[in-house]
Short mmCIF file of all heavy atoms in Angstrom, two decimals:
data_model
loop_
_atom_site.label_atom_id
_atom_site.label_comp_id
_atom_site.label_asym_id
_atom_site.label_seq_id
_atom_site.Cartn_x
_atom_site.Cartn_y
_atom_site.Cartn_z
N ALA A 15 46.25 166.84 52.13
CA ALA A 15 46.75 165.98 51.05
C ALA A 15 46.22 166.44 49.69
O ALA A 15 46.94 166.44 48.69
CB ALA A 15 46.35 164.53 51.31
N SER A 16 44.94 166.85 49.66
CA SER A 16 44.38 167.36 48.41
C SER A 16 45.08 168.66 47.99
O SER A 16 45.37 168.86 46.80
CB SER A 16 42.88 167.61 48.58
OG SER A 16 42.31 168.11 47.40
N LEU A 17 45.39 169.52 48.95
CA LEU A 17 46.12 170.75 48.63
C LEU A 17 47.52 170.44 48.08
O LEU A 17 47.98 171.07 47.11
CB LEU A 17 46.23 171.61 49.89
CG LEU A 17 46.99 172.93 49.76
CD1 LEU A 17 46.31 173.86 48.77
CD2 LEU A 17 47.12 173.61 51.12
N VAL A 18 48.19 169.45 48.68
CA VAL A 18 49.51 169.05 48.18
C VAL A 18 49.42 168.51 46.76
O VAL A 18 50.27 168.79 45.90
CB VAL A 18 50.13 168.00 49.13
CG1 VAL A 18 51.38 167.38 48.53
CG2 VAL A 18 50.46 168.64 50.48
N THR A 19 48.36 167.74 46.49
CA THR A 19 48.18 167.18 45.14
C THR A 19 48.07 168.28 44.09
O THR A 19 48.74 168.23 43.05
CB THR A 19 46.91 166.31 45.12
OG1 THR A 19 47.07 165.22 46.02
CG2 THR A 19 46.64 165.78 43.72
N TRP A 20 47.23 169.27 44.35
CA TRP A 20 47.05 170.33 43.36
C TRP A 20 48.28 171.23 43.27
O TRP A 20 48.59 171.78 42.20
CB TRP A 20 45.81 171.15 43.70
CG TRP A 20 44.56 170.37 43.46
CD1 TRP A 20 43.72 169.83 44.39
CD2 TRP A 20 44.02 170.02 42.18
NE1 TRP A 20 42.69 169.17 43.79
CE2 TRP A 20 42.84 169.27 42.42
CE3 TRP A 20 44.40 170.25 40.87
CZ2 TRP A 20 42.06 168.77 41.40
CZ3 TRP A 20 43.62 169.75 39.84
CH2 TRP A 20 42.47 169.02 40.10
N THR A 21 49.03 171.39 44.37
CA THR A 21 50.28 172.15 44.32
C THR A 21 51.31 171.45 43.43
O THR A 21 51.98 172.08 42.60
CB THR A 21 50.84 172.34 45.74
OG1 THR A 21 49.86 173.00 46.55
CG2 THR A 21 52.11 173.16 45.71
N ILE A 22 51.43 170.13 43.61
CA ILE A 22 52.35 169.36 42.77
C ILE A 22 51.91 169.42 41.32
O ILE A 22 52.75 169.53 40.40
CB ILE A 22 52.43 167.90 43.27
CG1 ILE A 22 53.10 167.85 44.65
CG2 ILE A 22 53.19 167.02 42.29
CD1 ILE A 22 53.09 166.48 45.28
N PHE A 23 50.60 169.35 41.08
CA PHE A 23 50.10 169.39 39.71
C PHE A 23 50.51 170.70 39.01
O PHE A 23 51.04 170.69 37.89
CB PHE A 23 48.59 169.25 39.71
CG PHE A 23 47.95 169.50 38.38
CD1 PHE A 23 48.07 168.59 37.35
CD2 PHE A 23 47.22 170.67 38.15
CE1 PHE A 23 47.49 168.81 36.12
CE2 PHE A 23 46.64 170.91 36.92
CZ PHE A 23 46.77 169.97 35.90
N ILE A 24 50.30 171.82 39.69
CA ILE A 24 50.64 173.12 39.08
C ILE A 24 52.15 173.24 38.88
O ILE A 24 52.63 173.65 37.80
CB ILE A 24 50.10 174.26 39.96
CG1 ILE A 24 48.56 174.22 39.99
CG2 ILE A 24 50.58 175.60 39.45
CD1 ILE A 24 47.94 175.17 40.98
N ALA A 25 52.92 172.86 39.92
CA ALA A 25 54.38 173.00 39.83
C ALA A 25 54.97 172.10 38.75
O ALA A 25 55.80 172.53 37.93
CB ALA A 25 55.01 172.69 41.18
N LYS A 26 54.52 170.84 38.71
CA LYS A 26 55.07 169.90 37.73
C LYS A 26 54.62 170.25 36.31
O LYS A 26 55.38 170.07 35.36
CB LYS A 26 54.65 168.47 38.06
CG LYS A 26 55.17 167.95 39.37
CD LYS A 26 56.68 167.91 39.43
CE LYS A 26 57.29 166.89 38.52
NZ LYS A 26 58.75 166.81 38.66
N MET A 27 53.41 170.74 36.17
CA MET A 27 52.95 171.14 34.83
C MET A 27 53.81 172.27 34.28
O MET A 27 54.24 172.23 33.12
CB MET A 27 51.49 171.55 34.90
CG MET A 27 50.90 171.91 33.55
SD MET A 27 50.89 170.52 32.40
CE MET A 27 49.64 169.49 33.15
N LEU A 28 54.09 173.27 35.11
CA LEU A 28 54.95 174.37 34.67
C LEU A 28 56.38 173.87 34.38
O LEU A 28 56.99 174.26 33.37
CB LEU A 28 54.97 175.46 35.74
CG LEU A 28 53.65 176.21 35.98
CD1 LEU A 28 53.80 177.17 37.15
CD2 LEU A 28 53.21 176.95 34.72
N GLU A 29 56.89 173.03 35.27
CA GLU A 29 58.26 172.54 35.08
C GLU A 29 58.39 171.71 33.81
O GLU A 29 59.33 171.92 33.02
CB GLU A 29 58.66 171.69 36.30
CG GLU A 29 60.07 171.15 36.22
CD GLU A 29 60.38 170.23 37.38
OE1 GLU A 29 59.46 169.91 38.17
OE2 GLU A 29 61.55 169.80 37.49
N LEU A 30 57.47 170.77 33.59
CA LEU A 30 57.55 169.92 32.40
C LEU A 30 57.37 170.73 31.12
O LEU A 30 58.03 170.46 30.11
CB LEU A 30 56.51 168.81 32.49
CG LEU A 30 56.83 167.68 33.47
CD1 LEU A 30 55.61 166.80 33.70
CD2 LEU A 30 58.00 166.86 32.96
N THR A 31 56.49 171.71 31.17
CA THR A 31 56.30 172.56 29.98
C THR A 31 57.57 173.32 29.64
O THR A 31 57.98 173.39 28.47
CB THR A 31 55.14 173.53 30.21
OG1 THR A 31 53.95 172.80 30.52
CG2 THR A 31 54.89 174.38 28.99
N VAL A 32 58.23 173.86 30.66
CA VAL A 32 59.44 174.66 30.43
C VAL A 32 60.58 173.79 29.92
O VAL A 32 61.26 174.12 28.94
CB VAL A 32 59.83 175.40 31.72
CG1 VAL A 32 61.21 176.03 31.58
CG2 VAL A 32 58.80 176.47 32.05
N VAL A 33 60.82 172.63 30.57
CA VAL A 33 61.97 171.81 30.18
C VAL A 33 61.76 171.18 28.80
O VAL A 33 62.72 171.05 28.01
CB VAL A 33 62.25 170.73 31.25
CG1 VAL A 33 62.69 171.37 32.55
CG2 VAL A 33 61.08 169.81 31.46
N GLN A 34 60.53 170.80 28.50
CA GLN A 34 60.28 170.25 27.16
C GLN A 34 60.54 171.31 26.08
O GLN A 34 61.13 171.01 25.03
CB GLN A 34 58.85 169.73 27.06
CG GLN A 34 58.62 168.39 27.71
CD GLN A 34 57.18 167.93 27.57
OE1 GLN A 34 56.26 168.73 27.41
NE2 GLN A 34 56.96 166.63 27.65
N ARG A 35 60.11 172.53 26.34
CA ARG A 35 60.34 173.60 25.36
C ARG A 35 61.85 173.87 25.22
O ARG A 35 62.34 174.10 24.10
CB ARG A 35 59.62 174.87 25.80
CG ARG A 35 59.71 176.00 24.78
CD ARG A 35 58.99 177.24 25.25
NE ARG A 35 57.57 177.03 25.37
CZ ARG A 35 56.89 177.09 26.51
NH1 ARG A 35 57.54 177.35 27.65
NH2 ARG A 35 55.60 176.90 26.55
N LYS A 36 62.58 173.83 26.32
CA LYS A 36 64.02 174.07 26.26
C LYS A 36 64.74 172.99 25.44
O LYS A 36 65.60 173.29 24.61
CB LYS A 36 64.60 174.11 27.67
CG LYS A 36 64.36 175.41 28.41
CD LYS A 36 65.06 175.39 29.76
CE LYS A 36 64.88 176.72 30.48
NZ LYS A 36 65.58 176.70 31.80
N VAL A 37 64.39 171.73 25.69
CA VAL A 37 65.07 170.64 24.98
C VAL A 37 64.74 170.68 23.49
O VAL A 37 65.63 170.50 22.63
CB VAL A 37 64.70 169.28 25.60
CG1 VAL A 37 65.27 168.13 24.78
CG2 VAL A 37 65.21 169.19 27.04
N ARG A 38 63.47 170.91 23.16
CA ARG A 38 63.11 170.98 21.74
C ARG A 38 63.84 172.15 21.05
O ARG A 38 64.33 172.02 19.91
CB ARG A 38 61.60 171.15 21.60
CG ARG A 38 60.81 169.90 21.94
CD ARG A 38 59.38 170.02 21.45
NE ARG A 38 58.60 168.83 21.76
CZ ARG A 38 57.80 168.70 22.81
NH1 ARG A 38 57.67 169.72 23.66
NH2 ARG A 38 57.14 167.58 23.01
N SER A 39 63.89 173.30 21.73
CA SER A 39 64.58 174.45 21.15
C SER A 39 66.06 174.18 20.98
O SER A 39 66.68 174.53 19.96
CB SER A 39 64.36 175.68 22.04
OG SER A 39 65.08 176.78 21.57
N ALA A 40 66.69 173.50 21.97
CA ALA A 40 68.11 173.20 21.88
C ALA A 40 68.40 172.22 20.75
O ALA A 40 69.39 172.37 20.01
CB ALA A 40 68.59 172.63 23.22
N LEU A 41 67.56 171.21 20.60
CA LEU A 41 67.75 170.25 19.52
C LEU A 41 67.62 170.93 18.15
O LEU A 41 68.34 170.59 17.20
CB LEU A 41 66.75 169.11 19.63
CG LEU A 41 66.98 168.11 20.77
CD1 LEU A 41 65.81 167.15 20.90
CD2 LEU A 41 68.28 167.34 20.55
N ALA A 42 66.70 171.87 18.06
CA ALA A 42 66.55 172.59 16.79
C ALA A 42 67.76 173.46 16.50
O ALA A 42 68.19 173.62 15.34
CB ALA A 42 65.28 173.45 16.83
N LYS A 43 68.40 174.03 17.54
CA LYS A 43 69.54 174.91 17.34
C LYS A 43 70.79 174.15 16.90
O LYS A 43 71.60 174.67 16.13
CB LYS A 43 69.84 175.69 18.62
CG LYS A 43 68.83 176.78 18.91
CD LYS A 43 69.15 177.49 20.20
CE LYS A 43 68.14 178.59 20.48
NZ LYS A 43 68.43 179.29 21.77
N ILE A 44 70.98 172.95 17.39
CA ILE A 44 72.20 172.21 17.06
C ILE A 44 71.98 171.23 15.91
O ILE A 44 72.84 170.38 15.65
CB ILE A 44 72.72 171.44 18.29
CG1 ILE A 44 71.77 170.30 18.66
CG2 ILE A 44 72.95 172.38 19.45
CD1 ILE A 44 72.36 169.32 19.63
N ALA A 45 70.82 171.32 15.26
CA ALA A 45 70.55 170.37 14.17
C ALA A 45 71.58 170.48 13.06
O ALA A 45 71.94 169.46 12.43
CB ALA A 45 69.14 170.61 13.62
#
């Protein structure tokens, strides 16, 4: 369970960082 927790942490951190950067960049492009 501890291994699953840290796996989710790494995966979700990368995913949220990427999608937030994409949305901010897209909003800036269509401003």
Side-chain angles (χ1 to χ4, degrees):
S16 180
L17 179 62
V18 170
T19 298
W20 290 107
T21 303
I22 293 174
F23 171 72
I24 295 172
K26 297 299 291 184
M27 183 62 70
L28 294 175
E29 181 185 7
L30 285 168
T31 302
V32 170
V33 294
Q34 282 180 336
R35 185 180 295 115
K36 282 184 177 181
V37 173
R38 288 195 180 98
S39 176
L41 288 172
K43 287 179 179 179
I44 68 166

